[in-house]
Amino acid sequence: MEKTRIGVYVCWCGTNIAMMVDVEAVAKEMESRQNVVLARTYKYMCSDPGQDMVIRDIKEHKLNRVVIAACSPRIHENTFRKALENAGLNPYMLQMANIREQNSWVHSDRIEATRKAKSLVAGAVSRVNHHQPLNKREVPVNPASLIIGGGISGITAALELADAGKRVYLVEKESELGGIAAMLDLTSPHFYSISDSLKTLIRRIEVHQNIKVYMDSQVKQINGYVGNFNGEIKIGNKKVKNIDFGNIVVATGLKPIKPETIENYGYGVFSEVITSLDFEQVLKKGSVLNAYGIKPKNVAIIHCVGSRNEDYKPYCSRTCCMTALKYANMIRSALPEANVYQMYADMRAYGKHCEELYADTSGKNVLFLMYDQREGMPIIEKDAIGPGVLIKFNERLSGEDIEVPAELVILMTAMESGKDAKSISQMTGTSLDANGFFIEKHPKLDPVSTTTDGVYVVGSCQSPKNIPESVSQARAATANILATIAKGYVEVEVITAEVNEDICCGCQFCIQVCPYGANNYDQRKAVSSVNEALCKGCGTCGSACPSGAISTRHFTDKQILSQIEGIMAEVGSG
Amino acid sequence: MSTRINPDFKNELTHFGKDEWNECYHCGNCTAICPLSKDGFLFPRKDLRAIQMGLQDKLDASLEPWLCYYCGECSETCPRDANPAELMMTLRRYLTSRYDKSGLAKLFYTNHIWEYVVLGLMFLAIVVAFLVFLPLKTDAALMVNESGGVMINSLVEGINAERFIGIIEYGDWTMAIVIALLLVSNIVVMFYKSVLSENGIRIPFSSYFTEAWQLVWNFATQSRFSKCDDKQYWIGHLLLMTGYTIMFILVVVFLPLFQIETVEPWWHWQRLLGYYATFGILFFLTIVTIKRLQKRDVKLKYSHPSDWIFIVMLALTTISGILVHIFRLQGMVAATYYTYVIHLAILVPMLMVEVPFSKWSHLAYRPFAIYFARLKTVAAEVEKEKSHKELVPAVGS
Amino acid sequence: MEYNPTIVSFLCNWCSYTGADLAGTSRMKYASNIRVIRVMCSGRIDPTFVLKAFTEGADGVLLCGCHPGDCHYHEGNYKCLRRFHLLQKYLDQMGVDKKRIRLEWISASEGKEFAELANEFSETIKKLGKSNIKEEMKVEDKKSPESAVHRPARMGLQSTVES
Amino acid sequence: MENEVNKSKLKLAIYWGAACGGCCVSVLDVHEHLFDIVAAADLVFWPIALDIKYKDVEAMEDNFIDITLFNGAIRNSENEHMANLLRQKSNVLVAYGSCAHLGGIPGLANMSTRESLFERVYETSESTINPEKTRPQTRVEVPEGILTLPEMYDSVLALDQVVEVDYYIPGCPPTSDRLLEVFTAIVSGSQLPPKGTVIGAQEKPLCDECERKKSENKLVKRFFRPWEIEDDGETCFIEQGLICQGPATRAGCGFRCIQGNAPCRGCYGPTSDVLDPGAKMLSAIATVIDADSPEEIAKVIETIEDPVGTFYRTSLPHALLRKKLFN
């Protein structure tokens, strides 16, 4: 058997690590560990010269295991795996020790931080001894895609893929396509008629030979893995259709919260009080009237109804400020004499041409009144002397307690994730954040992928978004999908469970444990087997296997136990 | 107690100058830059907010517009070009109209035709009065004294010099008393609105006297203009105020000493004072006229008709006064008489209209506002000491 | 000087490890005695790991996974929860203070919560004092030095290091 | 000493440490095959059957004995002394049976201290009258001389925790068939497996042999002790809520317990890759608890009355936590 030869590299990360950790001492300590051939430090291991150093050492010193003590493996594990690969070593012969995010950045005692770094690196050294080469696997990609949700994002994604000649299954739970966008009259900040544009897009979808639309339908089950999914669609109330597809675009969007739950606004009590989507319907009819059919002299638009409020939704619903400004403009056109009030908590005009809309609108005799959610939200009461209601609150910019009469009150209601987000996230193996929105793979660098390969989340199912953002995301996801289809194959998870058939006794503990149905009982051999294509490598079955027959590649008992031994081994101080 | 907002109020204010109240989004830059602003004293944003929301009572009680000396830094810093400095100017005009219970100030500011008409009528009245009751002697050419100057008090037909100066002095005093009464009544209203109307305020009686020096000092020196970076503005106001005051005192109080038949040598104190006053006023007028026309300096960029009326009237008064002096020294009898009549026909309406009802009044309201603000601060300090509680000072000084 | 314990922590890759990384990127300071071992899912945490950590000298063991319902692998964290409860009962029976092992849910966004948890658990363990498990479990070496080197394959791990 | 032994025959020793004697009996259970053994080997030491003294063993040359089958755990200084002695005198030392292998049933004494055991046995047990609280002493001087007794240790150890062991034959007791197989293999001179190997047992766990019907439906709402439930005689015990160590235990016993409708207790020990069989089984059992909330889980766990006795019945001294902590 080839002799184990380990190279240890401790990164300074400029001063990020070196300031709090004595990197030289860490490297020196590792030199004496069993099988360690060399231990070096370098300013930036992830830089090209840093990687080249590893590659050179692997070749010159015949290293066959590498430990890199640097930042979180979640950031650079792939970088260094590639470096190993470039040096002709199996990429899995690498172990990283996280001495930045979980050490130098969070501790303030240099001696302690150095001691901890030595432990963590010792753990990695101990572990890497037991690493085994793992080989990548490639599977073909089914060029068809499933799109869940027929809003503006789903429609865009469907057309992009279909126009590229790929089969698309579009599943919409309602009986009409268009989602929230279809309920809007004009867009902000440009006042385009979105319904006109949507009609064209929907017509194209309906006649497109590559798109199969399932209306009033829901996805019931999804099995498989990137490139090779299989799903069940329940159409209407009974029919179940089984389809195969290679990628999934989740575009389930969002919905407005029920403002009834926020009692101080009196929604449902006073007919003068309506939601923004109610108002869109009013606007679509062409004239601004309140529920009594009267042209209001005072129109109040209340922002952040349920948004940015710990009691309801802590996040910003993002589209309301601009929509509210749009309303002010439209009311101003329809009723030039009316008083228009914007009751806001903070005005957010972050997008292209949005600040301009704000500036423009504020010049149109619109009164902006600020309230503080923490100090108390506006309370709507019947106006004792006027025809409408009275909105009472402490106006933050003047410090005055004021009353504002209004015959029409528009609530800019918060948006929340769709109610089927939970089940779809479970079916697709994706995660939801604390607010029920889908979590993207990386919020900055990979904003439409998810941690499940082949599943993309676009549009407002991630967080409230405006139309151009949703459209961009849909196109980004489809570009990714078309790239994988063009490539023809995808690489699938190599960190999977494996069964040692010499030990497995067929007790079948592992079968039910697997959330992906990857473990099966082989009646003929009387042992369990793992379908590696389905396995995601969580390792739960390994921990449930009483006989030790199942191990999780790259996270074997031996590897983890030796990491514990390494971490707990005595280290020199200072 | 909550206040019902009045969105129509801002329309009323548009007649006083600035007519756009929406640009401000309350970033607070103006408050940050304003040399008068102190912690918790949201000057000048607070007044702007009161206008936007139509909090009229708040504004009527506000002294801040008078404390502001229009350095213009707020307007220069404003990211939205909301021009808060000009807003304060507008508020000063508005407040002038609110202190005046006769309604004339409001009439003049909101419709300046009326101001022209009143000025014109008074001009005509004085000219007519002179021509009818105090006409030029037919042999006036004889009324030249031995030094070659015109004997101004003896120019009128049928009235001896003593009688004439008595009439003029009587007129002076009448005018001064009328103006003073009007101005004082306005200041009383101002005091009531800005100080007394505030609930629970208790001003220690002694402080009325101990703080009175503020009034005199600020009136005489206009020292708060010196807080602006541009010192020229302060010097201009200082020269104007001193010159103007000297002239006013000489004309009203010491007329018999001043308007005399003999011509004193040029170094005589009377003449020197007169020259100083003339120079002071002219200097100021020249500067503001040029700058108002240039429209570069932010505080002189936005001119209201009332601003120009004041400048023009003051200029005409001064020029006519200079002409009287020149004609007199040159022994030009008729010219002296007619310019004298015109001088009075300009001076009197100017004082009658400007002092209680228009632009001039700010020279009085400003020192009083500082005085009142001091009184309020003293009251607040006493109250604070009494209760040992943290109180936000009502106004800074 | 105050006793400085050693805590071994098992964090799931998707939520808790990311949460701990977030504490780092947010520069939140916390106790330095936590030694983290990354596993893909809290469902991978085998009770053997916990016992091994204790016998190697850990004073406390912290297990963290995604919040219930948020597991990247759907329900691995529930498996962890069940094992944790039975393991606690076993440890209690073995005379090990139950407080030396803790299971908490830390999401990817809960950097602050992780830092607080690390501090809080570190305090708990400091109060409990040094664990005597390693000392107590040591088998006095009654064998000859040569035989001490050799142990059956299934027992040790260092011995199986190919050297 | 001059033993009448045939140099060509294997020299076999059998010794018991802290044991019940069952292992020795298991040797006799080979019945008539005992003659084959005797034909092939000379028994040079076997306290239960032969009158050969310790001093006779001490007198043997090192490695004189070819094979020693050592059964029983190490509980006292005598056990330890003999383990060392036999190690010295034997070519091949075999840990024979659960007690020598992993500590066995006597190992459960590690849940008590020596003091509490003495107190119970010599003072508080219902059948004891000992007002003077007399306890056995390791050394007592009497007029006739000095009497000694072995010193009882505070905890029970498996054989390999005291001396180097060559092979393990697990079981409580090992089945006679397995013993014969091993013996036959040795006699026939076939290649011996690597040192440290468990012999006389299968590599696969017991379920591989077990004839009960197994399925993937392992979820359990509550656990039962054998007397609490009527076993249907054919379904996997675990699926019926009975904790059976079968999946974590080597096959080789012939699933005799299960044939007797009793769940496996794990006497054959874990498979070769398992560090702590109790922890493995504990993990597997916890995984199939059919509850998600902490309260429900705790409720199900209440039905596992004695985790140590359940999961470490025959392996406690060899577990990661090999004894209870008394603080």
Side-chain angles (χ1 to χ4, degrees):
Chain A
M1 188 174 274
E2 195 191 9
K3 193 166 157 44
T4 302
R5 295 175 66 83
I6 303 171
V8 180
Y9 298 87
V10 187
C11 181
W12 297 41
C13 194
T15 54
N16 281 302
I17 293 170
M19 202 149 79
M20 192 47 65
V21 172
D22 184 346
V23 287
E24 295 299 342
V26 175
K28 200 164 162 36
E29 172 103 13
M30 292 310 129
E31 276 173 357
S32 57
R33 301 275 150 161
Q34 200 182 359
N35 297 337
V36 173
V37 175
L38 56 88
R40 298 184 198 278
T41 71
Y42 191 70
K43 260 217 154 84
Y44 290 102
M45 281 311 301
C46 59
S47 66
D48 283 348
Q51 293 186 48
D52 289 345
M53 181 167 88
V54 178
I55 294 170
R56 210 173 44 241
D57 285 350
I58 290 172
K59 289 176 178 163
E60 280 177 18
H61 297 271
K62 299 198 164 37
L63 302 180
N64 49 23
R65 306 269 196 290
V66 173
V67 168
I68 295 194
C71 52
S72 171
R74 291 187 59 90
I75 294 176
H76 273 312
E77 195 165 48
N78 276 332
T79 311
F80 294 116
R81 278 184 182 164
K82 287 223 169 73
L84 261 65
E85 225 172 352
N86 289 341
L89 205 58
N90 187 283
Y92 291 89
M93 303 311 260
L94 167 82
Q95 177 67 16
M96 283 189 77
N98 184 347
I99 58 168
R100 191 179 74 176
E101 279 83 350
Q102 296 183 11
N103 192 350
S104 69
W105 276 352
V106 287
H107 303 318
S108 36
D109 179 334
R110 195 161 193 264
I111 293 172
E112 275 304 306
T114 303
R115 215 166 69 89
K116 175 170 171 177
K118 286 178 180 175
S119 284
L120 294 176
V121 183
V125 169
S126 182
R127 186 191 207 269
V128 83
N129 271 296
H130 300 279
H131 278 206
Q132 285 156 347
L134 301 176
N135 294 318
K136 283 183 187 153
R137 288 180 307 116
E138 288 164 359
V139 291
V141 178
N142 180 338
S145 297
L146 171 70
I147 294 171
I148 311 172
I152 188 76
S153 314
I155 286 172
T156 309
L159 284 171
E160 287 286 312
L161 290 168
D163 287 349
K166 309 300 173 198
R167 184 89 182 127
V168 172
Y169 302 103
L170 178 59
V171 179
E172 169 57 51
K173 66 176 189 308
E174 304 292 338
S175 51
E176 272 172 51
L177 292 174
I180 298 273
M183 302 176 198
L184 306 181
D185 180 32
L186 300 180
T187 61
S188 56
H190 297 297
F191 306 163
Y192 292 138
S193 169
I194 186 64
S195 37
D196 289 353
S197 323
L198 261 177
K199 266 179 213 149
T200 321
L201 296 175
I202 292 171
R203 176 61 47 84
R204 278 190 58 209
I205 289 212
E206 283 165 351
V207 300
H208 210 300
Q209 56 176 11
N210 285 337
I211 303 177
K212 172 73 193 155
V213 185
Y214 299 102
M215 301 300 298
D216 295 309
S217 304
Q218 280 173 300
V219 180
K220 280 289 146 202
Q221 206 187 326
I222 294 173
N223 293 317
Y225 52 94
V226 56
N228 300 276
F229 289 108
N230 167 272
E232 273 180 17
I233 314 292
K234 192 173 160 202
I235 304 156
N237 273 329
K238 42 193 192 306
K239 256 203 328 197
V240 173
K241 172 99 179 142
N242 204 298
I243 51 174
D244 293 324
F245 42 92
N247 287 282
I248 303 168
V249 178
V250 179
T252 49
L254 40 58
K255 65 178 200 299
I257 64 159
K258 288 192 169 21
E260 294 91 325
T261 53
I262 310 174
E263 284 177 5
N264 49 300
Y265 291 127
Y267 182 79
V269 179
F270 304 113
S271 310
E272 288 90 345
V273 183
I274 62 172
T275 66
S276 49
L277 283 180
D278 295 339
F279 189 61
E280 295 285 350
Q281 298 310 309
V282 172
L283 287 172
K284 277 192 171 179
K285 285 182 194 142
S287 58
V288 177
L289 301 172
N290 69 8
Y292 302 107
I294 296 165
K295 279 188 181 171
K297 187 178 178 318
N298 298 287
V299 185
I301 303 166
I302 304 183
H303 294 230
C304 286
V305 173
S307 294
R308 305 174 62 234
N309 186 319
E310 292 300 329
D311 295 337
Y312 304 101
K313 302 289 170 191
Y315 52 87
C316 168
S317 293
R318 214 163 132 100
T319 54
C320 345
C321 279
M322 287 306 112
T323 308
L325 293 179
K326 174 186 80 177
Y327 292 164
N329 279 277
M330 301 180 83
I331 295 162
R332 181 55 69 239
S333 317
L335 309 168
E337 295 307 314
N339 295 312
V340 182
Y341 310 107
Q342 298 270 355
M343 288 150 194
Y344 69 105
D346 283 300
M347 181 60 70
R348 300 191 164 185
Y350 71 98
K352 191 177 184 179
H353 298 149
C354 290
E355 179 65 21
E356 290 92 324
L357 176 64
Y358 175 31
D360 191 39
T361 311
S362 59
K364 290 187 174 166
N365 197 16
V366 174
L367 183 52
F368 288 81
L369 298 165
M370 190 182 200
Y371 68 94
D372 187 334
Q373 301 217 48
R374 288 161 304 176
E375 301 290 316
M377 301 211 284
I379 295 169
I380 297 184
E381 292 173 0
K382 188 85 200 121
D383 187 0
I385 55 170
V389 292
L390 213 49
I391 306 158
K392 290 183 164 182
F393 60 100
N394 179 277
E395 204 282 324
R396 208 175 153 195
L397 297 174
S398 59
E400 300 290 326
D401 290 326
I402 59 165
E403 307 176 345
V404 181
E407 298 80 43
L408 177 62
V409 180
I410 305 163
L411 303 180
M412 304 309 298
T413 39
M415 291 292 181
E416 62 184 357
S417 73
K419 66 174 191 299
D420 45 359
K422 181 97 216 165
S423 66
I424 288 169
S425 81
Q426 282 172 352
M427 278 186 276
T428 53
T430 50
S431 314
L432 301 180
D433 65 17
N435 300 316
F437 290 107
F438 284 85
I439 299 178
E440 57 277 37
K441 191 169 188 177
H442 191 287
K444 305 219 184 301
L445 303 178
D446 209 348
V448 293
S449 305
T450 64
T451 48
T452 306
D453 290 342
V455 179
Y456 299 85
V457 286
V458 301
S460 292
C461 67
Q462 272 189 18
S463 70
K465 283 191 177 55
N466 59 31
I467 293 168
E469 287 167 342
S470 300
V471 169
S472 316
Q473 287 209 321
R475 293 194 168 198
T478 49
N480 255 357
I481 291 171
L482 289 171
T484 22
I485 296 171
K487 199 171 159 197
Y489 64 89
V490 283
E491 283 170 0
V492 293
E493 186 61 82
V494 296
I495 298 174
T496 58
E498 63 178 328
V499 176
N500 181 345
E501 290 184 359
D502 292 339
I503 293 178
C504 179
C505 61
C507 68
Q508 298 170 53
F509 265 89
C510 53
I511 313 286
Q512 231 168 15
V513 166
C514 181
Y516 303 101
N519 292 341
N520 290 298
Y521 181 63
D522 184 333
Q523 290 286 355
R524 197 176 51 82
K525 290 189 190 165
V527 292
S528 284
S529 65
V530 176
N531 180 342
E532 288 179 9
L534 293 177
C535 176
K536 312 272 184 214
C538 67
T540 308
C541 58
S543 300
C545 174
S547 61
I550 300 186
S551 62
T552 317
R553 292 195 178 104
H554 212 56
F555 287 90
T556 63
D557 281 9
K558 233 178 213 174
Q559 286 163 354
I560 294 170
L561 290 169
S562 61
Q563 191 175 2
I564 298 171
E565 282 178 358
I567 277 181
M568 295 309 300
E570 293 287 321
V571 291
S573 57
Chain B
M1 188 55 215
S2 55
T3 321
R4 185 181 275 243
I5 65 164
N6 175 12
D8 297 327
F9 171 70
K10 57 182 182 284
N11 299 332
E12 202 180 306
L13 266 180
T14 54
H15 301 292
F16 292 90
K18 192 168 152 50
D19 59 358
E20 179 55 66
W21 314 101
N22 290 307
E23 294 105 333
C24 171
Y25 58 13
H26 300 276
C27 63
N29 273 332
C30 53
T31 302
I33 198 87
C34 179
L36 298 168
S37 209
K38 299 214 167 128
D39 288 350
F41 186 43
L42 303 169
F43 189 136
R45 196 166 63 75
K46 194 168 142 188
D47 291 296
L48 179 52
R49 193 65 186 153
I51 297 171
Q52 287 180 334
M53 289 165 59
L55 306 175
Q56 195 169 6
D57 292 342
K58 283 259 157 211
L59 279 171
D60 285 358
S62 170
L63 287 172
E64 284 105 60
W66 299 118
L67 302 178
C68 161
Y69 271 67
Y70 209 161
C71 66
E73 284 185 40
C74 48
S75 289
E76 279 162 17
T77 341
C78 180
R80 302 261 294 182
D81 290 331
N83 203 349
E86 171 61 6
L87 168 111
M88 296 306 266
M89 192 65 226
T90 306
L91 272 181
R92 287 192 281 274
R93 294 183 195 119
Y94 163 75
L95 285 176
T96 308
S97 82
R98 293 295 289 174
Y99 300 152
D100 166 46
K101 288 288 159 194
S102 69
L104 285 172
K106 186 177 176 187
L107 190 66
F108 294 160
Y109 272 125
T110 55
N111 193 346
H112 46 269
I113 302 296
W114 276 104
E115 198 170 357
Y116 299 146
V117 167
V118 168
L119 289 170
L121 285 174
M122 288 174 84
F123 179 87
L124 280 178
I126 287 168
V127 170
V128 167
F130 264 91
L131 295 182
V132 173
F133 302 108
L134 303 165
L136 179 67
K137 275 186 181 164
T138 44
D139 55 350
L142 298 173
M143 299 316 291
V144 177
N145 61 20
E146 54 271 29
S147 56
V150 175
M151 295 164 73
I152 192 162
N153 295 324
S154 311
L155 282 176
V156 178
E157 185 74 60
I159 292 171
N160 65 22
E162 264 179 40
R163 175 108 174 89
F164 178 75
I165 193 103
I167 290 169
I168 298 296
E169 204 179 4
Y170 179 77
D172 267 357
W173 280 105
T174 312
M175 181 186 72
I177 288 165
V178 169
I179 290 171
L181 280 176
L182 286 169
L183 192 60
V184 166
S185 76
N186 289 353
I187 289 170
V188 168
V189 173
M190 177 190 185
F191 180 63
Y192 175 79
K193 280 182 185 284
S194 63
V195 181
L196 291 186
S197 67
E198 193 172 305
N199 281 336
I201 192 158
R202 266 195 220 130
I203 295 166
F205 188 67
S206 60
S207 64
Y208 283 106
F209 302 100
T210 54
E211 301 297 331
W213 65 270
Q214 291 266 5
L215 189 58
V216 179
W217 169 256
N218 281 296
F219 186 81
T221 65
Q222 303 288 315
S223 68
R224 286 170 64 104
F225 277 119
S226 66
K227 287 182 193 293
C228 303
D229 285 341
D230 180 6
K231 300 294 178 218
Q232 206 180 33
Y233 197 59
W234 168 56
I235 294 167
H237 271 86
L238 184 67
L239 287 172
L240 173 72
M241 270 315 293
T242 48
Y244 198 97
T245 311
I246 289 166
M247 224 26 153
F248 191 84
I249 291 168
L250 286 180
V251 169
V252 174
V253 183
F254 302 107
L255 192 72
L257 287 177
F258 180 66
Q259 192 170 315
I260 48 171
E261 301 293 52
T262 51
V263 178
E264 300 288 354
W266 67 267
W267 62 85
H268 190 268
W269 65 273
Q270 290 167 5
R271 281 183 72 174
L272 287 178
L273 278 177
Y275 290 149
Y276 168 75
T278 309
F279 165 76
I281 295 168
L282 277 178
F283 179 83
F284 173 79
L285 284 173
T286 314
I287 288 175
V288 295
T289 306
I290 293 170
K291 289 198 169 176
R292 278 196 190 272
L293 289 172
Q294 280 179 335
K295 297 188 181 194
R296 273 210 300 268
D297 191 345
V298 66
K299 54 186 164 289
L300 299 171
K301 206 169 174 178
Y302 309 94
S303 298
H304 190 260
S306 61
D307 297 324
W308 282 119
I309 290 174
F310 179 60
I311 291 169
V312 168
M313 292 297 284
L314 190 59
L316 289 177
T317 309
T318 315
I319 292 165
S320 59
I322 294 168
L323 286 176
V324 172
H325 187 66
I326 293 169
F327 293 152
R328 217 187 129 212
L329 291 181
Q330 296 302 315
M332 296 163 77
V333 175
T336 306
Y337 172 81
Y338 288 115
T339 47
Y340 180 77
V341 171
I342 289 168
H343 178 64
L344 285 187
I346 297 168
L347 175 76
V348 173
M350 180 194 77
L351 290 177
M352 290 295 286
V353 169
E354 287 292 333
V355 174
F357 303 119
S358 195
K359 178 88 177 175
W360 187 93
S361 62
H362 77 280
L363 294 168
Y365 292 146
R366 284 209 146 115
F368 273 100
I370 294 168
Y371 176 54
F372 294 157
R374 271 301 302 165
L375 293 179
K376 285 172 89 169
T377 311
V378 171
E381 278 165 7
V382 169
E383 194 63 32
K384 188 177 157 187
E385 236 166 74
K386 217 189 275 174
S387 60
H388 290 284
K389 273 183 197 160
E390 277 294 318
L391 281 181
V392 179
V395 277
S397 62
Chain C
M1 210 181 78
E2 198 176 19
Y3 173 61
N4 198 8
T6 307
I7 293 163
V8 172
S9 181
F10 297 94
L11 307 185
C12 85
N13 180 53
W14 304 101
C15 295
S16 313
Y17 195 87
T18 315
D21 274 357
L22 179 64
T25 42
S26 321
R27 310 295 199 277
M28 291 161 176
K29 304 291 175 207
Y30 59 82
S32 61
N33 34 34
I34 294 239
R35 309 275 190 270
V36 171
I37 291 175
R38 181 168 70 130
V39 287
M40 292 309 276
C41 175
S42 55
R44 175 66 188 106
I45 303 169
D46 193 313
T48 312
F49 303 163
V50 177
L51 301 177
K52 176 74 176 172
F54 278 129
T55 53
E56 290 290 329
D59 300 298
V61 177
L62 177 63
L63 319 178
C64 295
C66 309
H67 284 268
D70 290 341
C71 177
H72 182 76
Y73 304 102
H74 303 326
E75 47 200 23
N77 49 359
Y78 287 114
K79 314 276 162 48
C80 182
L81 180 68
R82 297 171 196 166
R83 290 172 193 153
F84 170 76
H85 278 277
L86 186 52
L87 182 61
Q88 245 195 352
K89 183 169 182 172
Y90 162 67
L91 285 173
D92 190 45
Q93 206 185 355
M94 291 306 289
V96 177
D97 196 314
K98 276 199 282 192
K99 290 200 282 294
R100 287 196 187 273
I101 170 174
R102 186 154 166 191
L103 169 66
E104 290 292 338
W105 310 128
I106 295 289
S107 79
S109 60
E110 292 178 328
K112 184 164 160 269
E113 283 77 358
F114 179 78
E116 282 166 4
L117 172 65
N119 281 333
E120 201 191 308
F121 190 53
S122 168
E123 278 311 305
T124 309
I125 299 301
K126 272 184 191 168
K127 275 194 201 115
L128 290 176
K130 186 167 166 49
S131 157
N132 59 350
I133 299 174
K134 185 180 180 182
E135 281 303 307
E136 289 286 320
M137 295 310 149
K138 206 179 269 172
V139 178
E140 267 178 58
D141 201 354
K142 291 170 173 146
K143 291 167 276 186
S144 59
E146 310 89 73
S147 64
V149 178
H150 177 84
R151 298 181 113 192
R154 62 184 168 75
M155 273 301 300
L157 289 144
Q158 295 290 17
S159 57
T160 59
V161 171
E162 298 91 20
S163 51
Chain D
M1 106 179 200
E2 288 301 310
N3 258 335
E4 302 286 319
V5 286
N6 187 333
K7 299 285 178 204
S8 67
K9 278 168 86 181
L10 275 175
K11 287 175 273 299
L12 179 66
I14 301 174
Y15 182 73
W16 55 356
C20 64
C23 285
C24 290
V25 175
S26 79
V27 180
L28 295 173
D29 277 350
V30 299
H31 304 299
E32 66 276 14
H33 293 295
L34 191 59
F35 296 115
D36 299 337
I37 292 175
V38 176
D42 281 333
L43 277 159
V44 295
F45 181 54
W46 190 6
I48 197 171
L50 305 170
D51 186 16
I52 297 168
K53 304 295 188 216
Y54 289 177
K55 63 174 172 27
D56 300 331
V57 180
E58 279 159 14
M60 292 175 189
E61 281 168 36
D62 284 0
N63 292 341
F64 174 78
I65 305 167
D66 288 307
I67 300 169
T68 296
L69 301 180
F70 192 107
N71 70 77
I74 309 300
R75 188 67 180 105
N76 57 33
S77 53
E78 182 189 10
N79 299 152
E80 192 190 350
H81 169 73
M82 286 309 293
N84 280 318
L85 182 64
L86 286 166
R87 173 68 274 179
Q88 193 188 340
K89 304 298 176 192
S90 313
N91 228 339
V92 174
L93 179 66
V94 179
Y96 183 78
S98 287
C99 302
H101 178 204
L102 299 169
I105 296 281
L108 285 174
N110 284 359
M111 296 303 288
S112 315
T113 58
R114 174 172 57 182
E115 172 57 30
S116 66
L117 288 173
F118 276 14
E119 190 182 293
R120 174 69 184 151
V121 171
Y122 295 107
E123 290 168 26
T124 62
S125 90
E126 290 73 7
S127 57
T128 302
I129 302 165
N130 181 7
E132 286 82 35
K133 301 191 174 175
T134 310
R135 290 208 185 157
Q137 302 296 311
T138 52
R139 190 184 153 90
V140 179
E141 286 186 39
V142 289
E144 293 81 9
I146 296 167
L147 291 177
T148 57
L149 276 177
E151 184 191 355
M152 177 143 152
Y153 291 155
D154 206 36
S155 64
V156 179
L157 296 168
L159 183 61
D160 65 5
Q161 288 168 317
V162 177
V163 294
E164 189 188 328
V165 170
D166 298 305
Y167 298 109
Y168 302 87
I169 299 179
C172 180
T175 61
S176 319
D177 295 349
R178 294 292 91 73
L179 171 63
L180 269 182
E181 277 167 26
V182 172
F183 192 75
T184 313
I186 293 168
V187 170
S188 66
S190 55
Q191 179 80 41
L192 286 172
K195 231 176 181 187
T197 309
V198 174
I199 53 177
Q202 310 297 324
E203 195 52 37
K204 285 204 180 203
L206 189 59
C207 303
D208 189 49
E209 293 183 339
C210 172
E211 285 165 349
R212 286 186 174 240
K213 273 185 288 187
K214 294 180 286 291
S215 75
E216 61 178 71
N217 303 316
K218 289 279 189 289
L219 290 181
V220 173
K221 281 236 179 281
R222 69 155 290 187
F223 294 100
F224 298 96
R225 301 178 79 183
W227 50 269
E228 288 177 307
I229 191 174
E230 196 170 326
D231 167 33
D232 67 9
E234 51 188 32
T235 311
C236 168
F237 282 119
I238 291 164
E239 285 159 39
Q240 296 186 62
L242 292 161
I243 298 175
C244 172
Q245 301 283 92
T249 307
R250 278 174 194 272
C253 59
F255 61 107
R256 288 177 303 182
C257 298
I258 289 162
Q259 279 179 327
N261 291 340
C264 168
R265 283 132 183 198
C267 70
Y268 261 63
T271 53
S272 51
D273 270 351
V274 173
L275 176 59
D276 185 316
K280 275 281 178 208
M281 198 61 213
L282 181 151
S283 183
I285 287 295
T287 308
V288 297
I289 290 172
D290 190 9
D292 284 339
S293 75
E295 297 75 30
E296 285 173 55
I297 293 169
K299 231 169 138 184
V300 180
I301 285 174
E302 266 176 40
T303 60
I304 305 177
E305 207 135 306
D306 172 16
V308 176
T310 306
F311 300 114
Y312 292 93
R313 186 174 304 199
T314 60
S315 63
L316 186 60
H318 228 294
L320 282 166
L321 300 184
R322 59 179 190 87
K323 62 177 186 178
K324 184 173 174 171
L325 296 174
F326 295 94
N327 295 314

